[in-house]
Amino acid sequence: WTSDGSPDSSGSAGGIQAGYNLQLGQAVVGIEGDYTWGSVEGSGTVGALSVSGSIDTLWSIRGRLGWVLASNLMLYGTAGYGGFDTSLKTGIGGLNLTASGDASGLVVGGGAELLLTPSIMLRAEGLHYMGDGNGNFAGSSGDVTMLRAGVSYKF
């Protein structure tokens, strides 16, 4: 989902993540970074003007604070800094313009991890990226919310 006034967007994405966690009793603290490639696109028209846009990559570096509810289930919150790269295409009467840019800012979210084996975890989380308006576009300050699932290997 986006909230910058652009068309509603949908698509799929995949990426990598790495981090470090320290468990202190039932509390877990950690740091994590991720990079996501995607094909998240949207389009719309206003009169004779057509607009399409895409989110091409997302990234973040975040701290995590979790609580182990059972021997194999942890709920967590996360916050840090991140960003996203976008492209925009507009057209009217055969004239087409394209631009690309980025936005960055605060990222907040939360999720759950389920320990399947001593080394393999399943994850479901939601992240909300808040663009700061200082990207390559004038006023590129849109917000992006992403729901994702993943598999992690614990060393």
Side-chain angles (χ1 to χ4, degrees):
W1 298 273
T2 62
S3 64
D4 65 353
S6 66
D8 288 337
S9 302
S10 63
S12 61
I16 59 172
Q17 55 103 16
Y20 179 81
N21 291 309
L22 176 64
Q23 186 168 350
L24 306 165
Q26 287 184 272
V28 177
V29 295
I31 188 166
E32 178 171 278
D34 61 72
Y35 192 86
T36 303
W37 298 269
S39 177
V40 180
E41 301 176 349
S43 62
T45 58
V46 179
L49 179 67
S50 65
V51 178
S52 65
S54 67
I55 299 170
D56 304 317
T57 61
L58 298 107
W59 61 271
S60 70
I61 298 174
R62 298 171 280 112
R64 291 193 335 152
L65 180 59
W67 191 258
V68 178
L69 296 177
S71 62
N72 64 342
L73 178 64
M74 178 180 73
L75 298 180
Y76 63 89
T78 183
Y81 189 78
F84 48 94
D85 298 318
T86 60
S87 59
L88 179 67
K89 298 175 187 173
T90 61
I92 186 166
L95 176 63
N96 294 311
L97 302 171
T98 61
S100 62
D102 57 46
S104 58
L106 182 65
V107 178
V108 296
E113 282 187 349
L114 179 65
L115 188 64
L116 294 179
T117 72
S119 298
I120 297 176
M121 297 173 287
L122 292 180
R123 164 191 297 211
E125 71 181 353
L127 295 175
H128 183 73
Y129 295 75
M130 293 175 256
D132 60 11
N134 295 320
N136 291 342
F137 292 143
S140 56
S141 61
D143 293 357
V144 174
T145 301
M146 174 180 270
L147 300 177
R148 62 188 186 181
V151 178
S152 298
Y153 182 82
K154 182 171 85 168
F155 293 97

